[in-house]
Amino acid sequence: EHVPNNERFMTGFAEVLADFEKLIQKGYTGVILSVVKASVRLKCEQATILQNLGKALHCNDNLDEIAMTCIKMMPNDKLNEELPINLHGSLILQELLAFNKPIQIVRSLLNLEAHVLRKIFSDPRGSHIVNRFVSSTTIGEKSRDALVKQLSGEYVSLACSKHGSYA
């Protein structure tokens, strides 16, 4: 996270990148968060990180499931809706939304059903995802409008929720 330049980042990047799945299994998700934060700050290797994170979370090539698997920090084949939101997973997703080309993340979020989004945005660990979504300079107006439309019918529940009111 505090790597000063691209050269230093690349030194440790390859080693950590190959072990994303092991890091997730052992619960060392803060390491992944640091790599993603550094990638956003240095604007490098973002596509590689996204692909390898998707692979570690057993997502398909289109990364259709990346949002939910990342939020829960659980491989797709072990994912269930009752799992709690993982703090590092939420923070990683927020950083992914700051990538130069976050379209796969955006699509994955927009493919979630409205009640699932409401549940995420009402959680203390997930409520800031919507803030990053609407404030990201790399997410277009159409995608923001699509999120508003997707949440239609859930606004009262969000407004009544302590954490959902951030949305």
Side-chain angles (χ1 to χ4, degrees), residues 66-125:
I66 190 74
M68 190 56 95
T69 58
C70 188
I71 290 169
K72 306 283 185 157
M73 255 310 112
M74 187 63 61
N76 192 35
D77 48 356
K78 296 180 182 175
L79 191 63
N80 83 50
E81 201 173 303
E82 300 308 313
L83 288 169
I85 291 176
N86 180 286
L87 177 60
H88 284 149
S90 175
L91 293 170
I92 289 168
L93 188 69
Q94 290 171 52
E95 291 298 322
L96 293 176
L97 288 168
F99 272 15
N100 292 334
K101 296 180 181 178
I103 189 65
Q104 292 172 306
I105 311 305
V106 170
R107 279 192 202 132
S108 181
L109 266 174
L110 293 176
N111 284 337
L112 297 174
E113 295 179 23
H115 76 278
V116 175
L117 287 171
R118 177 190 37 81
K119 195 171 177 181
I120 292 167
F121 297 158
S122 296
D123 186 280
R125 290 161 294 215

Side-chain angles (χ1 to χ4, degrees), residues 117-119 121-123 127 130 151 153-167:
L117 287 171
R118 177 190 37 81
K119 195 171 177 181
F121 297 158
S122 296
D123 186 280
S127 61
V130 71
L151 288 171
E154 300 293 339
Y155 292 117
V156 172
S157 298
L158 283 167
C160 292
S161 164
K162 179 179 178 181
H163 300 287
S165 60
Y166 290 120

Side-chain angles (χ1 to χ4, degrees), residues 22-40:
K22 288 179 188 173
L23 291 168
I24 291 168
Q25 288 171 352
K26 293 184 184 263
Y28 299 139
T29 52
V31 174
I32 297 171
L33 175 60
S34 292
V35 168
V36 173
K37 280 184 169 185
S39 174
V40 169

Side-chain angles (χ1 to χ4, degrees), residues 136-147:
S136 176
T137 58
T138 58
I139 295 176
E141 208 55 42
K142 286 183 181 179
S143 297
R144 291 186 186 119
D145 290 343
L147 180 65

